[in-house]
Amino acid sequence: GAGVSQTPSNKVTEKGKYVELRCDPISGHTALYWYRQSLGQGPEFLIYFQGTGAADDSGLPNDRFFAVRPEGSVSTLKIQRTERGDSAVYLCASSLKGPGGVETQYFGPGTRLLVL
Amino acid sequence: AQKVTQAQTEISVVEKEDVTLDCVYETRDTTYYLFWYKQPPSGELVFLIRRNSFDEQNEISGRYSWNFQKSTSSFNFTITASQVVDSAVYFCALSPQNVKTSYDKVIFGPGTSLSVIP
């Protein structure tokens, strides 16, 4: 079946611009996660959605970052006034989250963001 | 503190050699999950294994095996008879289970880059 998909695969923007990154989770997965991976490092948690609500956004670095998931499926990560330090690969993952259970997160291919 | 350490930044082996990737974790939670993910040059993280803290039985899957030792907080990964296609960055990850939260925050280690030379 289809995995997690992310668009665009690459995004080049100028400092100060606004960008949106999209994630389509695996069909039926209720939980969705955003991570940021800088060069040579492991992914760092940004935000987690259970359904439509952001259950934990403690990983968002500052208020320039925002994410939505209005219908409980597709999610958009939004970055305002981009800075060069925002350059990274942004990864999305989804899992079939049941009550009290732990489910494996499956990752998309990522969006490589470059801020010039 | 919740932390995952992968002390080996880069490893190179010749094809058909065995290689072990080390992973040491820290957590105060008594219930947690450990994972290994593979990230090939294409960039997509591929799930390899999940192990819960109450199951210390070692696992073998084909050429892959995992050694979980709670006493040393280690979850090492061995590839037997390595192949060029095994070349990738491998991440060990920890998901502490806190009864007050309802989700699985995953903490990744810095990764080990494995190169298998033909």
Side-chain angles (χ1 to χ4, degrees):
Chain A
V4 177
S5 62
Q6 292 184 245
T7 55
S9 53
N10 291 281
K11 177 71 177 177
V12 180
T13 191
E14 293 178 346
K15 180 184 171 186
K17 298 290 188 184
Y18 167 83
V19 296
E20 289 190 351
L21 312 179
R22 176 188 167 108
C23 172
D24 277 273
I26 293 172
S27 177
H29 280 193
T30 58
L32 185 145
Y33 311 79
W34 282 99
Y35 292 83
R36 180 168 70 174
Q37 186 176 20
S38 299
L39 193 62
Q41 297 182 22
E44 291 180 287
F45 169 80
L46 295 177
I47 187 170
Y48 155 73
F49 286 90
Q50 181 60 263
T52 60
D56 187 334
D57 63 359
S58 62
L60 295 177
N62 51 60
D63 60 6
R64 295 186 298 105
F65 288 74
F66 188 70
V68 296
R69 196 187 184 198
E71 296 177 0
S73 179
V74 170
S75 176
T76 304
L77 177 66
K78 308 180 181 192
I79 310 174
Q80 298 176 322
R81 304 182 304 280
T82 51
E83 299 177 357
R84 292 195 180 88
D86 298 335
S87 298
V89 176
Y90 289 82
L91 296 167
C92 177
S94 70
S95 69
L96 184 60
K97 181 62 180 167
V102 173
E103 293 294 338
T104 299
Q105 296 179 24
Y106 294 91
F107 284 79
T111 292
R112 191 174 302 272
L113 175 66
L114 177 60
V115 182
L116 300 176
Chain B
Q2 323 272 17
K3 186 180 176 182
V4 176
T5 301
Q6 295 179 256
Q8 304 148 309
T9 306
E10 294 182 6
I11 301 177
S12 286
V13 298
V14 176
E15 202 171 18
K16 297 184 183 175
E17 286 185 349
D18 299 347
V19 58
T20 295
L21 310 182
D22 298 333
C23 173
V24 174
Y25 61 91
E26 295 176 34
T27 180
R28 292 196 196 97
D29 292 279
T30 55
T31 304
Y32 51 89
Y33 285 77
L34 296 165
F35 302 80
W36 276 94
Y37 282 87
K38 173 182 180 179
Q39 190 172 43
S42 60
E44 191 161 344
L45 277 162
V46 177
F47 166 76
L48 296 178
I49 189 172
R50 181 181 85 197
R51 169 72 70 216
N52 80 54
S53 52
F54 297 109
D55 181 3
E56 288 193 69
Q57 201 167 18
N58 291 330
E59 182 158 339
I60 298 175
S61 177
R63 296 185 297 107
Y64 296 169
S65 62
W66 291 269
N67 184 320
F68 177 26
Q69 293 198 351
K70 219 167 173 178
S71 60
T72 56
S73 297
S74 66
F75 186 43
N76 296 339
F77 172 31
T78 297
I79 302 174
T80 303
S82 59
Q83 299 177 2
V84 173
V85 293
D86 296 328
S87 297
V89 179
Y90 290 85
F91 292 97
C92 180
L94 165 71
S95 182
Q97 299 301 297
N98 185 325
V99 296
K100 295 181 182 177
T101 62
S102 62
Y103 80 98
D104 327 314
K105 185 171 183 176
V106 180
I107 300 158
F108 284 83
T112 296
S113 178
L114 173 67
S115 296
V116 181
I117 304 164

